[in-house]
Each structure stands twice: as structure tokens, then as C-alpha cells.
Amino acid sequence: MTQRIRIYQQGTPAVLHHETFELESPSREQVVIRHEAIGVNFVDTMFRDGTFKVPLPFSMGVEAAGTVEAVGSRVQHLKVGDRVGYFFSFGAYADRRVIDASALIKLPDDISSEQAAGLLSKGLTAWALVRQVHGVQAGETLVVHGASGGVGSLLARWAKSLGATVIATVGSAGKARIVEGWGLDHVLRSDEPDLAARIKAVNGGRGVDVVYDLVGRQTLDASISALRDGGDLVHVGNASGSVAADTALLAARGIRYAQPSTPQYVNPQNQDRAASELFERFREGALGHLELTRYRLEEAALAHEAMAARKHVGSIVLMP
């Protein structure tokens, strides 16, 4: 029997239900994958806790990597034994699953399933943020709030590799010590007072060009205050709680406000190109060492608790 994590109601991590089920056969344009590693993303907690309403019961997870076990009759670009990954398809918290072949990205031989499950969703989000939402240019100064997390860690280092001055903020002294070793320009604590003033101080008293805010409630006011007039505010996540920006204030200052989602910018037409660039940046070391925290599939609730506590660095993966 196949294992999966489903929810029958939205709520705390306790609603994550581990169960067995009979896997269906793939249609003509689908494949069966045996998962080898499953990515845990902040958006998963939002589907679980009710931030986003979903039809119940709901099969959890959006990202995983593994090996193709069976192929539908119309699938031409994949065969049994191919190693593949994907970054946004519901039902990833399972040891095996059926999935549309168009969602899959072939993995290079030198990228493990664990690396792919830790990289694809977060790395393609970082690609979209630095290449599509705001094309980062050498000489710009930008802020990444939540720089120690899965997306933030990749985003901050990717932007630095493009020649930007990067000001990273993190939520604890322990995280600061880790991030300070990454070669970024400045690392600040987001839980200390007058964050906007401290950002401007390390930027010579000037507002910054771009802020990527992955934290939300705790940092959004500081994000707006730290920006120069005409800058870009990219509101990516709400790790500290959801909050709405004062759009009238942003408009008065000419600040462009974006709340992007990865599927807006990464799709079947460009996902292979985006993934290829992601893997190349990872190979050359621009994205640093991938920190992975591992839990068993049946420990999904513990993984969600760890993410809510914001104590981990890097990416969390479930191991079937």
C-alpha cells in the first residue's frame, strides 16, 4: 500500500493524518513516481492552517523528487527509471504518486533527490524573484528579510552573485552567526528596534532600491520605511503573520508593490530553462551549501512545528 499525508480539516499540525491508500493507474499523459525526498515549504503550512481554503480532504505537499516507475501511453519525454522532480503539484507528501508528466523536470546526474527536493521550489522562487519580479542589477542595494530560511538563503546569495549589495536580516543571534559566514554585505537582527534606521545606516543613510520581505507582520513597516522613493517592495511571505501594506502610502512614494507566487513566473514553458540556471548556480557555489533538515514522512507534523518555530536554517525534507 502507498503512504500519504492528508488533512480532513484545517488547523494545527495535529490535523496532518498519515494513512495508506491504493494508488490509481496513470492516465495517458501521467506518470507514477516513487518519491525519494519531499520538500516542506512555508506555503504547506498555509494550506494546512486555513490561511488558504482548500477542498477537503486535501493531499498535502507541493514538491518532491524521485524516480519514474510507470509512464502513460502519450508521454514521450520520460521513461521508466528517469530521475525527476517538481515544484508545485498538490499531493507530494506521499511515498508514491501519480502526476501529470508536464509538471516534471528531469534531474541531472549530479543533483541528488534530496538536493532537488530542497532546491526546486525555493530555488525557482529565488530565480523568479531575481530574474522576473525584479531583475537584480549590479550596484543595486537590496534587503532580504528572513535570509536564513529556505528561500531567503538562496535569494540573498543569488542576488549577491549578481553584483548587488545585500543587507540580510534574521531573527536570532544564532542565525546571524550562520548567515555572517555567507559573504553578504551586512547582517542585521530583525527582532531589535529601529530596523529601518539600522538598514539606512549601513547604506550610508540612504533608502535601499529593493526589499524582499519573507517575514511579513514583523518587518513590513520597516521594509517600507527603509525603501527609497521609487523602490520595489516584493512581499514574498508572512513567516511572522499576515499583514496588508498601506497601498496609498506606497503609491504616494512611487514604490512598486508586488506579491508574487512562483507559478506566476515559472511554468511548463520555461521551467526547464529556469531549473537549468538554478542547478548551474548551485554547482558553481554561488548559492552556498544546501542545509537540509530531515524528518520521516510520518513526522510531517514535527516538520511543520519546526517551520512555525522558525528555528531551522535552510530547507526541510521528508524522507519516505
Side-chain angles (χ1 to χ4, degrees), residues 8 39 154 200 258 299-300:
Y8 291 83
L154 298 172
K200 287 183 176 180
E299 295 177 321

Side-chain angles (χ1 to χ4, degrees), residues 129 144-146 151-152 155 212-216 219 234 236-240:
L129 293 173
V144 178
H145 291 309
V151 174
L155 170 61
Y212 293 100
D213 197 326
L214 289 80
V215 176
T219 54
V234 185
V236 191
N238 292 294
S240 68

